């Protein structure tokens, strides 16, 4: 049931792409409503969950069990000093019958004190709602002043939505023009997603609560909210597209929005969907539609009529201004009485009867299906040079030809038939008309397409000689099947018409056709990993290391012979610092090789280098001075 | 023919040992050491193979670079070339030598792997 309704919705949304008027793509179907009620029927964990559950269920029109128990729970959990506690208890008590929350003077004072510009918007909303539900007097003008002041300070979506909701609880004489303007401001803040969804970036809960508050206030002051039809439908799409809700508060907001949209004075979105697949045929001639509000409740006053219905293929109009009859909650129309040919039809359906209806022009695609029968099936074997007269055999559906036909490469095998609609006698051209030849011994199948001529008579000719490659030149007995199928046919046909013996010249040895070996394990790939390079033996490396170091020895010997010495070494601080720094730099090189990366090395080098440079500069200057003095 | 070559070489050696100042001889022996080291590295590469190639390159380039810098130092501190390097004192030449060597060693160490 749900799948067929989803299919109806899918067809609807396909039509949506082409339609100019927007129609709702998402709504709460009966299973969705049941799921929502289930979520709201959970055990109470506190006053807030009791509020969401009880008030949410009452908005969905569900019965709340055990009013006494709920009332007891409220009274036991109530904290008379807390505004939130009073709000939840008061609102919930209004939803069930015969529950009075005791009120003291202190309670009243606390609630009245909360109505000021210095409290948060949530506090003002809860205090005003509690005062209103408990039947306590409140100064509406003061509330308006507090709200206006608060809106300036808290300029976010949730706060302004709460302000709207609060204003709806005030007396009718109050001047609410300023607050009413906020609806338009908030509407401007909604994000349009692809022309289909309209929602706040704050999320689903904010959007749903806004819709509830906007309609609540609009009903209260009896002024139409500044929402265009398309915007209302986009809001419906956004709010009801989510089918499982994360929290009780979210579920409550969706339930409130659903109630607001089904029952307000200005805009009621209409959901039109086909009951079952949108198909009619001779066995089922009526098209059945369900027309409901967003909560899948049938609309009380509604007239459904087809403005026009035209064939998709020929664009000719079949129906114009025909109305549906209401039969046990379902709107029915006998479409077959208009004698439509099989195929697809585009219906433009309009729902009237209530000026509040929104999204009430819907496009629906309806399929008319029929049954087919094969007439005048004539089989013959024709000689190519037409010297021998043709012998035509008539085979009647669904029986098989008594004798088998024999044909060889000099001949053509011919088939002619008609496909006719059982009910109307009209010739049909279905999408699939195939002729299949199946070799009984080897299992090979060859399929051809049969084409209709201008008079819708199907003809098929098989030139044996020309087509021998398709058959792999394998002679033998082939069973001939006719396959007919189409989306609009209720009885697809697979008919074994006759057996045909084909004789090919230069025949190969019959080879049994192997099924394609796609899914057997493939041969394993041997991957050759890159072999590490051969290293020379350690002896060789060690020998050469020693060899390389030997010139150093030679250098030292040569220097000694030349008389190089460090007798001029002066123990000045700059000299020592220079040599230490230089040694450190060389040490850093070694550490760089073993541990560090370039960045760290450069950092250390900069430090040591600058020290060494300064010291070296000093030292070399001193040496230069000494050298010039010596001269 | 070989006779003249030998006589040229011996004359050259004699002039060298007598005329070159000691400082330059020190630098020359350093250059000779660098040359030997580089030659031995190249010999190893020829005999044993180029694995690991980056290490061979870094070692060889180090020798070549050090040789070149040594030659530069020798040219600059040679008193006979004083006319060409009026603004560069021997100390300055040595400082340049050290700085260039620091950069060379940095590069060599990076590449040695």
């Amino acid at each position: 049931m749900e799948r067929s309704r989803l299919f109806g919705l899918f067809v609807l949304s396909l039509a949506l792409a082409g339609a100019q008027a927007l129609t709702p793509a998402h709504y709460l179907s009966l299973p969705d409503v049941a799921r929502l009620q289930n979520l709201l029927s959970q055990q109470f964990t506190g006053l807030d969950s009791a509020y969401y559950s009880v008030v949410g269920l009452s908005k969905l029109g569900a019965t709340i069990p055990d009013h006494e128990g709920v009332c007891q729970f409220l009274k036991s959990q109530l904290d008379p000093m807390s505004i939130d506690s009073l709000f939840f208890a008061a609102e919930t008590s209004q939803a069930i019958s015969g529950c009075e929350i005791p009120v003291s003077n202190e309670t009243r004072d606390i609630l009245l004190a909360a109505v000021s510009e210095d409290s948060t918007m949530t506090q003002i909303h809860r205090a005003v709602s509690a005062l209103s539900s408990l039947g306590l007097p409140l100064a509406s003008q003061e509330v308006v002043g507090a709200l206006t002041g608060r809106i300036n300070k808290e300029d976010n979506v949730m706060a302004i939505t709460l302000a709207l909701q609060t204003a709806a609880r005030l007396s009718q004489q109050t001047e609410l023009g300023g607050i009413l303007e906020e609806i338009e401001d908030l509407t401007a803040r909604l994000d349009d997603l692809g022309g289909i969804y309209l929602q706040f970036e704050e999320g689903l809960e904010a959007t749903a609560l806004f819709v509830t508050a906007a309609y609540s206030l609009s009903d209260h002051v009896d002024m139409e909210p500044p929402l265009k039809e398309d915007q209302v439908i986009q809001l419906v799409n956004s709010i009801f597209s989510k089918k499982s809700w994360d929290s009780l508060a979210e579920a409550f907001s969706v339930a409130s929005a659903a109630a607001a949209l089904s029952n307000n004075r200005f805009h009621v979105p209409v959901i039109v969907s086909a009951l079952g697949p949108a198909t009619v045929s001779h066995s089922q001639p009526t098209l059945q539609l369900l027309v409901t509000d967003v909560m899948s409740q049938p609309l009380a006053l509604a007239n459904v009529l087809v403005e026009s219905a035209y064939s998709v293929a020929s664009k000719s109009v079949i129906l114009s201004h025909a109305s549906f009859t209401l039969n046990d909650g379902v709107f029915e129309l006998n479409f077959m009485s208009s004698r439509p040919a099989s195929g697809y039809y585009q219906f433009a359906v309009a729902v009237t009867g209530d000026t509040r209806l929104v999204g009430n022009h819907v496009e629906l695609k309806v399929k008319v299906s029929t049954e087919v029968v094969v007439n005048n099936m004539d089989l013959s074997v024709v000689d190519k040079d037409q010297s021998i007269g043709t012998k035509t055999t008539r085979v009647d559906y669904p029986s098989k030809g008594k004798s088998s036909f024999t044909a060889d490469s000099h001949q053509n095998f011919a088939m002619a038939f008609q496909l006719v609609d059982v009910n109307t006698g009209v010739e049909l051209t279905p999408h699939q008309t195939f002729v299949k030849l199946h070799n009984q011994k080897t299992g090979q199948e060859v399929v051809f397409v049969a084409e209709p001529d201008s008079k819708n008579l199907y003809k098929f000719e098989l030139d044996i000689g020309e087509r021998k490659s398709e058959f792999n030149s394998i002679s033998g007995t082939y069973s001939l099947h006719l396959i007919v199928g189409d989306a609009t046919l209720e009885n697809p046909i697979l008919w074994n018409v006759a057996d045909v013996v084909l004789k090919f010249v230069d025949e190969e040895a019959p080879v049994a056709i192997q099924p394609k070996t796609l899914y057997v394990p493939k041969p394993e790939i041997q991957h050759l990993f890159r072999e590490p390079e051969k290293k020379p033996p350690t002896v060789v490396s060690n020998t050469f290391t020693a060899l390389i170091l030997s010139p150093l020895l030679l250098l030292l010997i040569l220097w000694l012979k030349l008389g190089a010495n460090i007798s001029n070494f002066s123990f000045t601080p700059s000299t020592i610092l220079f040599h230490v720094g230089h040694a450190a730099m060389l040490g850093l090189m070694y550490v760089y090789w073993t541990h560090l990366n370039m960045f760290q090395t450069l950092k250390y080098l900069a430090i040591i280098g600058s020290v060494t440079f300064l010291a070296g500069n000093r030292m070399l200057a001193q040496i230069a001075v000494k050298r010039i003095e010596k001269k | 023919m070989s006779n003249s070559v030998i006589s040229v070489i011996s004359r050259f050696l004699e002039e060298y040992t007598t005329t070159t100042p000691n400082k330059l001889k020190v630098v020359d022996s350093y250059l000779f050491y660098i040359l030997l080291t580089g030659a031995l590295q190249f010999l190893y590469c020829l005999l044993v193979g180029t694995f690991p190639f980056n290490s061979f390159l870094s070692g060889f380039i180090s020798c070549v670079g050090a040789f070149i810098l040594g030659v530069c130092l020798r040219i600059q501190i040679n008193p006979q070339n004083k006319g060409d390097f009026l603004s560069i004192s021997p100390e300055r030449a040595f400082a340049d030598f050290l700085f260039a060597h620091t950069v060379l060693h940095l590069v060599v160490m990076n590449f040695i792997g």
Side-chain angles (χ1 to χ4, degrees):
Chain A
M1 252 309 242
E2 195 187 321
R3 198 168 289 196
S4 51
R5 198 158 305 162
L6 276 174
F7 170 77
L9 261 175
F10 175 68
V11 168
L12 205 66
S13 50
L14 273 183
L16 216 81
Q20 277 107 337
L22 203 58
T23 50
H26 300 282
Y27 67 102
L28 288 180
S29 61
L30 288 171
D32 293 330
V33 174
R35 205 178 316 120
L36 189 57
Q37 281 182 353
N38 220 3
L39 181 58
L40 290 171
S41 305
Q42 287 173 346
Q43 275 272 29
F44 302 156
T45 55
L47 274 182
D48 55 345
S49 81
Y51 164 70
Y52 290 132
S53 297
V54 173
V55 179
L57 283 173
S58 73
K59 293 211 184 202
L60 290 176
T63 51
I64 299 145
D66 192 17
H67 288 208
E68 258 299 314
V70 175
C71 199
Q72 283 299 98
F73 180 80
L74 294 177
K75 288 193 185 146
S76 67
Q77 295 275 319
L78 175 65
D79 170 15
M81 299 293 133
S82 149
I83 298 176
D84 295 333
S85 180
L86 286 163
F87 165 74
F88 290 131
E91 294 289 287
T92 318
S93 70
Q94 288 295 97
I96 53 176
S97 59
C99 189
E100 282 259 4
I101 304 288
V103 180
S104 68
N105 277 352
E106 289 162 318
T107 314
R108 191 194 57 194
D109 291 336
I110 291 174
L111 290 174
L112 284 171
V115 177
S116 92
E117 251 185 57
D118 302 314
S119 327
T120 64
M121 191 65 90
T122 316
Q123 284 177 320
I124 301 179
H125 167 246
R126 290 187 176 178
V128 171
S129 306
L131 283 167
S132 167
S133 297
L134 293 171
L136 296 170
L138 58 96
S140 296
Q141 213 49 48
E142 246 182 68
V143 176
V144 174
L147 288 177
T148 324
R150 206 61 215 166
I151 288 176
N152 289 336
K153 288 187 204 160
E154 276 184 69
D155 190 29
N156 59 63
V157 167
M158 284 305 290
I160 302 181
T161 306
L162 287 175
L164 296 173
Q165 195 70 284
T166 315
R169 308 297 289 262
L170 303 175
S171 74
Q172 297 247 338
Q173 288 83 18
T174 333
E175 176 53 55
L176 293 169
I179 312 257
L180 210 57
E181 278 171 11
E182 296 295 334
I183 301 183
E184 200 165 348
D185 287 345
L186 278 186
T187 314
R189 286 202 219 186
L190 287 161
D191 295 325
D192 186 323
L193 301 177
I196 306 210
Y197 299 100
L198 199 61
Q199 59 197 49
F200 285 116
E201 64 177 11
E202 284 84 353
L204 171 62
E205 207 178 316
T207 316
L209 287 176
F210 163 68
V211 168
T212 316
Y215 282 106
S216 165
L217 184 58
S218 301
D219 278 355
H220 186 69
V221 300
D222 202 14
M223 273 182 63
E224 190 176 345
L227 290 166
K228 298 199 265 293
E229 257 199 46
D230 278 356
Q231 287 179 314
V232 176
I233 297 187
Q234 285 180 306
L235 284 167
V236 166
N237 286 341
S238 294
I239 297 172
F240 301 117
S241 61
K242 192 171 179 190
K243 302 297 186 178
S244 77
W245 303 277
D246 299 326
S247 65
L248 212 52
E250 198 176 56
F252 170 75
S253 69
V254 171
S256 310
L261 285 168
S262 346
N263 193 12
N264 67 74
R265 286 194 212 155
F266 304 102
H267 303 140
V268 175
V270 164
I271 311 289
V272 177
S273 56
L275 184 68
T279 310
V280 290
S281 62
H282 270 272
S283 47
Q284 209 180 339
T286 48
L287 178 65
Q288 295 178 313
L289 292 184
L290 279 179
V291 178
T292 65
D293 59 19
V294 289
M295 289 205 299
S296 295
Q297 288 170 333
L299 291 177
L301 341 136
N303 294 327
V304 185
L305 68 103
V306 183
E307 283 176 345
S308 73
Y310 65 90
S311 154
V312 172
S314 63
K315 303 271 187 276
S316 57
V317 177
I318 307 285
L319 266 189
S320 190
H321 292 286
S323 46
F324 282 71
T325 50
L326 179 58
N327 186 357
D328 194 21
V330 179
F331 286 89
E332 291 185 344
L333 175 74
N334 188 332
F335 188 40
M336 289 310 280
S337 58
S338 324
R339 306 192 144 275
S342 68
Y344 287 94
Y345 293 86
Q346 192 80 341
F347 273 53
V349 176
V351 182
T352 56
D354 193 338
T355 46
R356 300 176 302 163
L357 295 178
V358 166
N360 52 345
H361 292 268
V362 178
E363 300 248 328
L364 208 57
K365 200 166 191 182
V366 179
K367 179 169 84 171
V368 176
S369 53
T370 183
E371 292 186 20
V372 73
V373 74
V374 186
N375 280 350
N376 307 336
M377 168 67 85
D378 292 328
L379 302 170
S380 54
V381 178
V382 184
D383 224 52
K384 270 196 207 170
D385 47 13
Q386 302 263 317
S387 53
I388 307 172
T390 63
K391 193 183 71 160
T392 316
T393 318
R394 165 72 49 103
V395 187
D396 290 316
Y397 176 71
S399 48
K400 187 170 157 177
K402 283 187 222 51
S403 57
S404 59
F405 295 80
T406 312
D408 61 26
S409 325
H410 305 295
Q411 292 163 323
N412 287 348
F413 179 76
M415 224 163 89
F417 56 94
Q418 265 186 321
L419 295 172
V420 167
D421 187 332
V422 164
N423 306 106
T424 59
V426 172
E427 288 114 9
L428 293 175
T429 49
H431 285 158
Q432 299 170 323
T433 42
F434 302 133
V435 175
K436 180 176 85 167
L437 287 138
H438 176 92
N439 187 325
Q440 284 152 354
K441 235 187 299 177
T442 63
Q444 184 193 21
E445 287 183 353
V446 186
V447 183
F448 300 98
V449 179
E451 309 249 326
D453 63 12
S454 50
K455 293 203 198 61
N456 284 343
L457 182 68
Y458 276 88
K459 281 205 171 67
F460 169 66
E461 248 189 45
L462 179 64
D463 185 338
I464 314 281
E466 207 181 306
R467 295 280 188 199
K468 67 175 181 213
S469 56
E470 319 244 349
F471 291 90
N472 286 345
S473 298
I474 299 174
S475 309
T477 316
Y478 288 79
S479 59
L480 183 75
H481 285 86
L482 177 68
I483 301 173
V484 177
D486 190 274
T488 56
L489 289 182
E490 288 190 335
N491 63 332
I493 291 177
L494 175 65
W495 176 29
N496 187 353
V497 184
D499 285 330
V500 181
V501 179
L502 296 178
K503 285 201 177 62
F504 292 101
V505 197
D506 43 82
E507 175 187 330
E508 295 154 10
V511 154
I513 305 293
Q514 305 276 12
K516 275 204 187 147
T517 51
L518 278 177
Y519 304 109
V520 296
K522 300 262 198 309
E524 196 175 322
I525 305 171
Q526 297 289 9
H527 178 77
L528 208 61
F529 284 101
R530 183 162 165 259
E531 292 180 23
E533 297 211 24
K534 276 205 1 231
K535 284 196 248 194
T538 328
V539 181
V540 177
S541 310
N542 288 344
T543 317
F544 269 95
T545 312
L547 215 58
I548 296 270
L549 291 174
S550 57
L552 188 63
L553 212 64
L554 182 65
L555 179 68
L556 289 171
I557 295 170
L558 277 174
W559 274 355
L560 275 172
K561 271 188 76 184
L562 282 171
N565 51 44
I566 50 172
S567 54
N568 245 353
F569 192 83
S570 50
F571 281 90
T572 53
S574 47
T575 320
I576 296 172
L577 195 61
F578 166 76
H579 280 102
V580 165
H582 193 226
M585 284 207 302
L586 293 173
L588 179 67
M589 287 297 135
Y590 174 75
V591 176
Y592 173 37
W593 182 38
T594 49
H595 292 121
L596 305 173
N597 61 36
M598 179 63 100
F599 300 107
Q600 294 167 312
T601 313
L602 284 178
K603 186 173 67 179
Y604 293 132
L605 194 65
I607 302 167
I608 302 174
S610 45
V611 168
T612 313
F613 171 73
L614 291 170
N617 207 7
R618 201 80 179 302
M619 179 193 78
L620 286 173
Q622 288 168 352
I623 293 176
V625 162
K626 249 199 268 177
R627 178 173 57 91
I628 289 173
E629 272 178 5
K630 219 164 50 171
K631 277 216 194 122
Chain B
M1 186 65 187
S2 55
N3 233 354
S4 52
V5 172
I6 291 171
S7 65
V8 165
I9 292 174
S10 62
R11 176 108 171 92
F12 164 72
L13 281 175
E14 201 186 303
E15 275 231 27
Y16 175 77
T17 40
T18 45
T19 46
T20 39
N22 230 10
K23 253 196 193 155
L24 292 183
K25 280 193 189 154
V26 167
V27 177
D28 284 338
S29 48
Y30 166 74
L31 289 177
F32 181 60
Y33 149 70
I34 293 285
L35 186 76
L36 272 186
T37 313
L40 281 172
Q41 284 188 351
F42 193 65
L43 185 72
Y44 170 88
C45 179
L46 281 182
L47 288 181
V48 186
T50 60
F51 179 79
F53 196 48
N54 60 307
S55 306
F56 159 70
L57 276 182
S58 100
F60 194 65
I61 296 286
S62 166
C63 290
V64 169
F67 189 80
I68 291 169
L69 290 173
V71 166
C72 289
L73 180 68
R74 189 186 192 280
I75 291 175
Q76 286 181 338
I77 64 175
N78 197 347
Q80 288 175 333
N81 293 340
K82 205 155 182 183
D84 296 325
F85 298 106
L86 279 174
S87 60
I88 303 176
S89 62
E91 287 74 30
R92 171 68 196 280
F94 183 66
D96 286 341
F97 173 80
L98 283 183
F99 175 71
H101 256 292
T102 309
V103 175
L104 176 70
H105 282 156
L106 204 61
V107 171
V108 162
M109 280 316 192
N110 189 27
F111 205 50
I112 205 165

